[in-house]
Amino acid sequence: MYIDYYFIFNVTILLGNTMKILIAIGGREYSKPTLDLGMKIANSFKSSITIAYVGKKISQFSEKDVSVVHQNLDERELYRPGIRTLEWAYDFLISKEYIQEKVANKFDDYLLVDEENSRMKVLLKGQQSDKIDLIMRTGEIIEQLKNEVETNNHDITIIGGGGNTGIHQKLIQFIDSSVFVVKNYSVNKKYKILLPVNDSKGSDMAIETAINFAKSYKLNVEIVSVQEENKTINEVEKILQKTKEKFSKNKIKTSTKLIDGTPVNSIVNYAKDNSIIILGVSPKNPIMKYFFGSKPLSIAQKCNCPVLITK
């Protein structure tokens, strides 16, 4: 499936230090699992949320032509493609009681207010609406998401696991935030965190993220490690034990396991469909990652469960 637009959800998480999450999803049919998970996470963290649609920017020639027939709501959809998807997100918020629909509060295209930098905002009213923004942006997907992260200092970007994997790879490589790739998510599964660890700085970031995530989302954690060439079994077991102690101090239930094989294939094969993998990415230059690869990138591409890559 070719994805030509994305939703963006900006979630403010209060965990001592303020954390913001950007959730990007495309297409109504494939967006629901990612949107559902994003709203549940936001709700568990008692966060504020910004929801935005990013669509293709029409040319100046097209804009001039369309403006001639820009007379009513149906024609307005030609001028601002994606309004119906915004309406779908609006209805989802109502169905989950994030906002309350009233006769005077039904979705209306003219509730859109123009803002700067190709942004439009929907005026919302009702329950919890002071914590929710619904906006639309136009332009190239990666550029718009990159601008959104930089402008609003997002810490995590959440994206759907289906569709254009090339876009996923670029987001993971070039977006200046952690990235959560939601694959095969189901509301009926009881998830646990699968946390691969080593002695790298990236692993330290993943551990801190997993602690906050497990506490807020009430998930059990399985800590695993793969013996690499430059480590003995005793050294790896010490890393596992040290990591387990950090979770024990936070009263989080954990288990540990040393698994055999190469890091990428071992973790991909070990992960179950009810796992949420949390990985730390190395601070390697994005261009270097593109040419020489990255273990977190490879795991995110090959596995069939949600993966959170921390930066």
Side-chain angles (χ1 to χ4, degrees):
M1 181 190 68
Y2 175 75
I3 300 176
D4 63 352
Y5 51 81
Y6 274 79
F7 272 107
I8 306 168
F9 298 75
N10 163 21
V11 184
T12 302
I13 298 183
L14 302 178
L15 293 171
N17 295 324
T18 301
M19 184 183 293
K20 294 183 179 180
I21 299 179
L22 182 71
I23 305 176
I25 61 178
R28 302 178 214 178
E29 180 181 353
Y30 299 97
S31 296
K32 189 173 181 179
T34 308
L35 174 55
D36 190 42
L37 177 59
M39 297 303 291
K40 284 185 176 181
I41 292 173
N43 190 44
S44 68
F45 286 131
K46 298 180 180 179
S47 309
S48 62
I49 310 159
T50 298
I51 303 173
Y53 168 87
V54 179
K56 288 183 177 179
K57 192 169 186 178
I58 60 177
S59 67
Q60 293 297 319
F61 178 79
S62 298
E63 185 173 343
K64 180 180 178 181
D65 286 350
V66 172
S67 65
V68 175
V69 296
H70 181 202
Q71 301 296 329
N72 56 47
L73 292 181
D74 292 334
E75 290 161 350
R76 189 179 176 99
E77 186 175 357
L78 295 174
Y79 181 68
R80 289 172 171 173
I83 286 180
R84 297 285 73 84
T85 314
L86 280 183
E87 184 175 13
W88 171 80
Y90 180 91
D91 291 339
F92 181 88
L93 295 176
I94 291 172
S95 70
K96 297 296 183 179
E97 299 184 348
Y98 286 99
I99 58 176
Q100 291 179 333
E101 184 180 35
K102 300 178 181 178
V103 175
N105 192 36
K106 290 183 179 295
F107 186 90
D108 191 311
D109 298 12
Y110 287 101
L111 290 174
L112 284 169
V113 177
D114 287 308
E115 296 185 331
E116 296 179 358
N117 300 322
S118 301
R119 273 172 152 248
M120 286 165 279
K121 181 177 179 179
V122 178
L123 298 178
L124 298 178
K125 296 180 181 179
Q127 180 183 1
Q128 298 189 37
S129 61
D130 59 327
K131 294 184 178 180
I132 300 173
D133 283 334
L134 179 59
I135 65 173
M136 179 160 60
R137 296 181 63 117
T138 56
E140 195 275 326
I141 294 172
I142 302 299
E143 179 184 356
Q144 291 299 319
L145 294 180
K146 197 170 187 297
N147 290 341
E148 192 72 23
V149 169
E150 292 174 354
T151 301
N152 296 292
N153 298 314
H154 296 289
D155 299 287
I156 301 175
T157 300
I158 300 180
I159 61 177
N164 192 331
T165 56
I167 290 178
H168 299 156
Q169 184 175 355
K170 289 179 181 178
L171 284 172
I172 294 171
Q173 289 175 306
F174 298 108
I175 296 296
D176 190 22
S177 73
S178 300
V179 177
F180 191 5
V181 183
V182 180
K183 284 188 178 181
N184 300 322
Y185 172 74
S186 171
V187 296
N188 298 318
K189 292 178 185 175
K190 185 177 181 181
Y191 284 91
K192 66 178 180 180
I193 293 174
L194 179 62
L195 178 67
V197 296
N198 52 32
D199 58 355
S200 68
K201 291 183 179 179
S203 185
D204 290 339
M205 291 187 291
I207 291 168
E208 293 303 315
T209 300
I211 289 172
N212 290 332
F213 200 91
K215 288 173 67 175
S216 298
Y217 211 44
K218 297 180 174 59
L219 297 176
N220 293 335
V221 180
E222 183 172 15
I223 307 165
V224 299
S225 192
V226 180
Q227 184 183 3
E228 300 183 61
E229 294 181 358
N230 60 339
K231 297 291 180 184
T232 65
I233 292 179
N234 287 338
E235 288 175 322
V236 176
E237 287 179 343
K238 286 181 180 179
I239 293 172
L240 287 171
Q241 184 58 36
K242 184 178 179 181
T243 304
K244 182 179 177 66
E245 290 172 359
K246 293 181 180 179
F247 284 88
S248 298
K249 290 179 181 178
N250 286 276
K251 300 180 179 179
I252 298 171
K253 185 177 179 180
T254 62
S255 62
T256 61
K257 188 174 181 63
L258 176 61
I259 55 179
D260 298 323
T262 59
V264 172
N265 291 333
S266 296
I267 293 169
V268 170
N269 293 332
Y270 187 79
K272 305 296 189 294
D273 62 0
N274 67 337
S275 299
I276 295 177
I277 304 175
I278 298 183
L279 298 160
V281 69
S282 66
K284 189 187 295 182
N285 183 289
I287 302 299
M288 296 291 287
K289 290 180 192 173
Y290 183 82
F291 287 106
F292 298 103
S294 164
K295 291 175 184 175
L297 267 174
S298 298
I299 292 171
Q301 290 172 345
K302 293 181 179 181
C303 77
N304 291 312
C305 63
V307 179
L308 172 57
I309 300 176
T310 64
K311 297 181 182 179

